[in-house]
Amino acid sequence: MNDAQLIAAPSGRHNRYLRALARQPVDTTPVWIMRQAGRYLPEYRATRAQAGSFMDLCQNPELATEVTMQPLRRFELDAAILFSDILTIPDALGLGLHFVEGEGPRFSSPLRSVADIDRLGRIDPEQQLGYVMDAVRMIRRELNGLVPLIGFSGSPWTLACYMLGGRSDTGFKEARQLAWNEPEAMHRLLSLLSDIVIDYLAAQRAAGAQSLMVFDTWGGTLPFADYREYSLRYLAQIVEGLRKLPEPAPVTLFSKGAQAHLSAMADTGCQALGLDWTASLRESRQLVGDRVALQGNLDPNALRANPKALRNMVALTLADYGSGPGHIFNLGHGITPDIDPEQLKLVVDCVHEFGREPTLLA
Ligand code: CP3
């Protein structure tokens, strides 16, 4: 079955995520969770230990497939997300990615000068990131139609922040400095990254990804005009580039903290927008109208609440969106390692219980 036939079939676990992205009616609200394959699961920690390191895990398609499947065995999630990382692109560009326990990502050769930027070039995703495409193909086989598979990339701005900063740090003063001091070099870098992201997501699509998400984790930290110039402009180019594929897939844009830009983001022609937990689904929906579906936006910290309070927050999130199609339930950001998996089970089950449209309840 191709994706168009899948979407046209009656709504169920195998297609409700794709139907919601297309703003078609669903039997109940679909749910998936950012970082659903991660350290809060003991089986993930065991597989990562077996792999050696986080990057070894990403680069081993069998083990990446295993950890992608783990949350789907425990919870009735409605989508799988490729197990990988947004920083595979800078790694393939030669920046030397490694993860320092407890501190996050580091690059051994971050970009230090305009000359470093001008040495970068396009990559062939099937060559330099072949392990990602192998994982996509293997996960699709393993899923065997259970739920759709999401592929992803970082946004040019967010990738540039890490490539120039060299490590995890929310200030990313290096990227801001380059944008102010050498705007042309910054635009050359972002433009190259946009082309690379398009090639990378197109390759994931060709390998079997059924929906594509762009994570712009640091876009929302920019001043208003700079967000439009350095982040949104390139997100729009990516959406445009992916629309030209022989079989386009729905694209979800997630700029964390960019509530002020939602309407402009919907203007890119993407199919969905991810919202962080500070946004109102209701007000966002009024802003974007019927242009896009909305994904989100339970506070990741709500998973620390007691079960009664947690159920209540899930119900409030669903009520905030209101009735009608186009809602994909998720957290407003990734699940953290300290969460009890039973709390996530409660969320997923509540979404399906409360997310049924009254008209469909007979
Ligand atoms: O389950 C999934 O969501 C799919 C896999 C996925 C990972 N990272 C695995 C991961 C996805 C979609 C990402 C995206 C990602 N990676 C983003 C954008 C989304 C966001 O969270 O804002 C960013 C900014 C990164 C970069 C990155 N990777 C950081 C900053 C860190 C360290 C932070 C931390 O949680 O330790 C990572 C590591 C990482 N990526 C882990 C996982 C499961 C934890 C690594 C481990 O196992 O030790």
Side-chain angles (χ1 to χ4, degrees), residues 21 31 55 94 278 284 293 295 299 301 306 314 326 339-340 344:
L21 278 175
V31 49
M55 280 312 284
T278 65
S284 304
Q295 174 178 290
D299 180 0
N301 278 301
N306 69 38
V314 171
I339 297 301
D340 176 357
L344 186 54

Side-chain angles (χ1 to χ4, degrees), residues 34-39 44 48 54 81-87 99 104-105 152 162 168 215 217 333:
M34 287 189 267
R35 293 271 167 97
Q36 62 191 25
R39 285 162 294 175
Y44 169 85
R48 198 189 66 171
F54 173 71
I81 179 159
L82 161 71
F83 188 83
S84 189
D85 199 83
I86 64 166
L87 301 178
F99 282 79
F152 70 90
Y162 285 104
S168 231
F215 290 96
T217 308
H333 201 204

Side-chain angles (χ1 to χ4, degrees), residues 58-340:
C58 289
Q59 290 172 353
N60 180 321
E62 282 85 14
L63 295 183
T65 300
E66 165 58 21
V67 292
T68 301
M69 298 303 292
Q70 285 170 351
L72 297 163
R73 296 188 194 119
R74 274 193 188 241
F75 318 112
E76 286 280 308
L77 293 159
D78 297 302
I81 179 159
L82 161 71
F83 188 83
S84 189
D85 199 83
I86 64 166
L87 301 178
T88 52
I89 286 180
D91 189 50
L93 287 168
L95 273 66
L97 175 63
H98 54 281
F99 282 79
V100 179
E101 196 61 49
E103 285 185 40
R106 287 270 179 91
F107 289 110
S108 48
S109 315
L111 302 177
R112 286 289 175 235
S113 63
V114 172
D116 285 350
I117 292 173
D118 289 331
R119 268 195 294 272
L120 299 172
R122 296 277 275 267
I123 54 177
D124 176 350
E126 276 289 353
Q127 290 296 319
Q128 280 114 308
L129 289 163
Y131 64 89
V132 175
M133 307 315 149
D134 289 342
V136 170
R137 285 184 279 264
M138 200 173 283
I139 296 164
R140 271 303 295 276
R141 275 201 301 279
E142 188 72 21
L143 282 168
N144 194 22
L146 178 70
V147 293
L149 176 62
I150 304 167
F152 70 90
S153 169
S155 72
W157 171 258
T158 294
L159 292 175
C161 283
Y162 285 104
M163 292 167 73
L164 291 156
R167 57 191 294 163
S168 231
D169 153 25
T170 52
F172 296 103
K173 46 190 185 306
E174 292 84 355
R176 300 278 285 278
Q177 257 166 347
L178 184 68
W180 291 319
N181 299 345
E182 305 269 1
E184 284 170 12
M186 188 55 160
H187 281 300
R188 281 200 301 281
L189 174 60
L190 294 169
S191 178
L192 172 68
L193 287 171
S194 298
D195 290 339
I196 293 173
V197 167
I198 293 168
D199 291 344
Y200 183 49
L201 290 175
Q204 290 184 36
R205 172 61 173 154
Q210 292 157 286
S211 121
L212 301 169
M213 179 150 169
V214 183
F215 290 96
D216 184 32
T217 308
W218 302 119
T221 62
L222 284 167
F224 190 95
D226 288 352
Y227 173 81
R228 298 287 168 101
E229 184 174 347
Y230 294 103
S231 181
L232 184 64
R233 186 204 289 199
Y234 296 98
L235 293 172
Q237 284 184 17
I238 292 165
V239 173
E240 174 79 27
L242 293 171
R243 249 213 302 242
K244 295 183 189 135
L245 295 183
E247 288 184 75
V251 175
T252 300
L253 300 180
F254 175 54
S255 285
K256 185 163 161 279
Q259 190 61 15
H261 304 284
L262 277 190
S263 190
M265 292 173 79
D267 284 339
T268 61
C270 68
Q271 276 65 42
L273 297 177
L275 301 179
D276 69 47
W277 65 92
T278 65
S280 152
L281 283 162
R282 183 183 307 268
E283 288 189 8
S284 304
R285 202 174 168 188
Q286 280 160 5
L287 269 173
V288 301
D290 58 8
R291 286 177 290 169
V292 289
L294 294 176
Q295 174 178 290
N297 72 338
L298 181 69
D299 180 0
N301 278 301
L303 290 157
R304 292 178 228 279
N306 69 38
K308 184 162 176 255
L310 180 55
R311 277 174 70 88
N312 197 35
M313 284 186 273
V314 171
L316 286 172
T317 305
L318 289 163
D320 190 28
Y321 186 84
S323 62
H327 183 208
I328 295 139
F329 195 101
N330 205 312
L331 303 182
H333 201 204
I335 186 169
T336 50
D338 55 308
I339 297 301
D340 176 357

